[in-house]
Amino acid sequence: MTFTDIATRTYNHGWRLDPIVRSLLDTDFYKLLMMQMIREFYPDTRTTFSVINRTGRVRLAEVIDEGELRAQLDHARTIRFSKKELIWLAGNTFYGKTQMFSPDFINWLSSFRLPEYDLHKVDGQYELHFHGPWTHTTMWEIPALAILNELRSRAAMKGQGRFALDVLYARAKAKLWAKVERLRKLDGLRLSDFGTRRRHGFLWQRWCVEAVKEGLGPSFTGTSNVLLAMDNDLEAIGTNAHELPMVAAALANSDEELRWAPYAILDQWRHTYGGNLLVALPDAFGTRVFLRDAPDWVADWTGFRPDSAPPIAAGEEIIRWWKQKGRDPKEKLLVFSDAMDVDSIEETYRHFSGRVRISFGWGTNLTNDFVGCTPNGSADLDPISIVCKVTSVDGRPAVKLSDNPEKATGIPSEVERYLRVFGNAGRVRAAVHV
């Protein structure tokens, strides 16, 4: 194995364009899974995805040069899936299933390209939108966030000396390895990398994945990043995301259709996929109301990925629901992925050990934890909370309520309408850091 000297590469960033995204596989696995289902059930649905910077104190348009941002976005639009990549997707086994992607879908991917974007500055922030068919706009989420985060990292490190950069990365590596040494002590741990969207940079994510693979051995189950999975002979990890119920809800023509929308699109998901891919994301409009109204067949799914409520509270609520439905929680799976780091992984692991199957998606705090690592003590490399969410569907506004109101998205009048339909039970406001 050859190691890239990241500090030297960072110091030498002087080319006309050093591409941040070099492959369309540099995305999360659930994007490809969802895209195949979207193409089957919603081929004509048009959506808008929009970047939202929740960390408003960081004024990205004052940090990131607009010309550099446009150059990176334009470059991403020139990329196509390579023959090697398509052969790997077509022939590999995912979640125990061969030919996860149909020949027709693979053939369609061969000519896929990212659609156009709409970019302008407003009050020190970038407004970045992607309009077009849902089959295409969905694929902008991950590269757009990766580009913004890495350009911010580059701007923060610009002008630093070779040794200052070397010290920076040495500290970050030591910090990560100390986490790995703690996680090694958790027998039977199952953990995967979920850090693509808000990573410090691609080379750094690759280093982190390779380090955790060596450090944790079989406890490291894979990565959501499809390119890194292919290059490192790892499992590609992921199921589905909030955009599915958000789009289904936006298309609803009545309050009753709106209430049923999260289950209707999960029904389509289970007819497209099965087995270990039957992991539901319950919190788009609140976990408590999702469980209250869920049809019995949801209890037969493999498990849940609670994503915005405190992990222990969310897990306990889901376990109670399984028991009420007559299901044995020990046969079920909980995937925890919301801002997880070593402390919360250890606490959650110990709390649920022996009671339910658990796994962890380690995201921003794996691939972008430079807190306290800068030689000058600045916070310019501290991670921020930035997302790319569907904001309109066929001209209708899209909404996410979330278990944490701080993560809610949508115009206020629509948020109020959704609250009338779904209710506010179980939603608790908490600060969002990453």
Side-chain angles (χ1 to χ4, degrees):
M1 181 183 297
T2 58
F3 292 97
T4 300
D5 184 341
I6 304 175
T8 297
R9 279 290 302 273
T10 302
Y11 183 73
N12 288 338
H13 277 156
W15 303 296
R16 185 187 63 82
L17 178 70
D18 182 12
I20 290 170
V21 177
R22 297 168 182 252
S23 166
L24 289 175
L25 283 190
D26 186 11
T27 191
D28 281 342
F29 187 53
Y30 68 13
K31 280 295 170 181
L32 296 175
L33 292 172
M34 288 191 297
M35 186 162 58
Q36 179 169 238
M37 194 206 86
I38 292 164
R39 186 168 171 265
E40 178 182 357
F41 289 102
Y42 301 90
D44 300 318
T45 299
R46 299 183 68 82
T47 61
T48 295
F49 278 73
S50 304
V51 170
I52 302 166
N53 179 14
R54 295 171 177 154
T55 312
R57 60 179 172 75
V58 177
R59 299 165 70 85
L60 289 175
E62 296 174 2
V63 175
I64 297 170
D65 178 78
E66 182 177 349
E68 292 183 14
L69 175 55
R70 289 186 181 275
Q72 293 290 347
L73 295 170
D74 289 341
H75 173 77
R77 295 196 64 232
T78 69
I79 303 172
R80 303 291 185 272
F81 287 100
S82 70
K83 288 183 179 180
K84 171 190 171 183
E85 292 168 342
L86 293 175
I87 290 169
W88 183 80
L89 284 175
N92 200 40
T93 298
F94 301 99
Y95 284 87
K97 180 178 179 180
T98 57
Q99 206 172 67
M100 179 72 78
F101 301 104
S102 71
D104 177 63
F105 180 65
I106 294 294
N107 182 61
W108 180 79
L109 285 180
S110 66
S111 59
F112 177 87
R113 65 177 294 182
L114 291 167
E116 295 182 359
Y117 61 89
D118 177 19
L119 174 69
H120 51 277
K121 295 180 180 179
V122 177
D123 191 26
Q125 300 288 357
Y126 282 116
E127 288 202 354
L128 179 56
H129 308 282
F130 308 100
H131 312 284
W134 189 16
T135 49
H136 288 66
T137 53
T138 184
M139 284 292 284
W140 256 124
E141 176 185 358
I142 309 302
L145 294 176
I147 286 169
L148 284 164
N149 276 285
E150 186 159 351
L151 284 178
R152 176 175 175 256
S153 297
R154 290 183 183 182
M157 296 183 295
K158 192 172 184 179
Q160 291 192 24
R162 170 71 177 81
F163 285 95
L165 290 168
D166 205 34
V167 169
L168 169 72
Y169 284 109
R171 289 174 175 173
K173 289 176 179 180
K175 188 176 187 182
L176 173 59
W177 198 253
K179 296 180 182 184
V180 169
E181 289 176 331
R182 286 174 60 182
L183 293 172
R184 278 178 178 166
K185 300 174 184 177
L186 304 181
D187 290 337
L189 175 70
R190 294 181 59 80
L191 178 145
S192 56
D193 158 45
F194 276 20
T196 300
R197 293 185 305 159
R198 291 192 284 268
R199 67 194 182 197
H200 168 83
F202 173 75
L203 293 176
W204 179 247
Q205 183 185 15
R206 187 174 72 183
W207 188 92
C208 292
V209 166
E210 292 174 355
V212 176
K213 179 184 178 182
E214 177 180 312
L216 292 184
S219 290
F220 185 56
T221 57
T223 173
S224 64
N225 187 292
V226 190
L227 180 62
L228 292 175
M230 182 180 73
D231 289 346
N232 291 278
D233 194 26
L234 289 165
E235 290 286 335
I237 303 293
T239 53
N240 53 72
H242 292 112
E243 69 187 82
L244 294 188
M246 290 175 67
V247 169
L251 291 173
N253 292 312
S254 66
D255 286 354
E256 185 58 31
E257 282 189 19
L258 176 57
R259 189 176 291 109
W260 179 250
Y263 315 112
I265 201 160
L266 286 182
D267 192 34
Q268 293 169 332
W269 179 267
R270 69 173 176 153
H271 282 95
T272 304
Y273 303 109
N276 291 330
L277 287 177
L278 297 183
V279 175
L281 191 60
D283 66 309
F285 310 118
T287 295
R288 189 162 298 173
V289 70
F290 180 94
L291 297 175
R292 182 194 70 198
D293 296 337
D296 285 344
W297 52 261
V298 176
D300 295 323
W301 277 36
T302 301
F304 286 95
R305 180 166 70 91
D307 189 56
S308 56
I312 290 176
E316 289 292 351
E317 187 165 15
I318 292 168
I319 286 174
R320 284 194 297 271
W321 181 79
W322 275 325
K323 289 180 176 178
Q324 291 167 5
K325 292 290 183 179
R327 307 310 196 269
D328 183 358
K330 290 183 178 180
E331 297 178 354
K332 297 296 182 179
L333 174 68
L334 290 174
V335 181
F336 297 101
S337 61
D338 182 30
M340 303 303 291
D341 205 4
V342 178
D343 288 344
S344 57
I345 291 172
E346 288 177 336
E347 181 185 17
T348 307
Y349 166 91
R350 292 182 175 125
H351 182 88
F352 289 110
S353 182
R355 299 175 56 206
V356 63
R357 294 161 53 212
I358 55 175
S359 68
F360 298 94
W362 198 8
T364 309
N365 289 315
L366 166 64
T367 62
N368 200 359
D369 185 4
F370 283 72
V371 176
C373 295
T374 54
N376 61 4
S378 78
D380 292 346
L381 285 177
D382 289 6
I384 62 174
S385 182
I386 183 171
V387 295
C388 184
K389 295 293 183 184
V390 57
T391 50
S392 75
V393 183
D394 287 345
R396 303 179 179 191
V399 169
K400 178 189 174 190
L401 294 179
S402 178
D403 286 326
N404 180 359
E406 289 293 326
K407 290 188 172 185
T409 61
I411 60 176
S413 60
E414 282 298 288
V415 169
E416 287 302 315
R417 182 171 77 90
Y418 276 58
L419 286 172
R420 287 196 301 271
V421 171
F422 291 107
N424 200 31
R427 301 175 73 236
V428 178
R429 190 174 300 274
V432 179
H433 301 291
V434 296

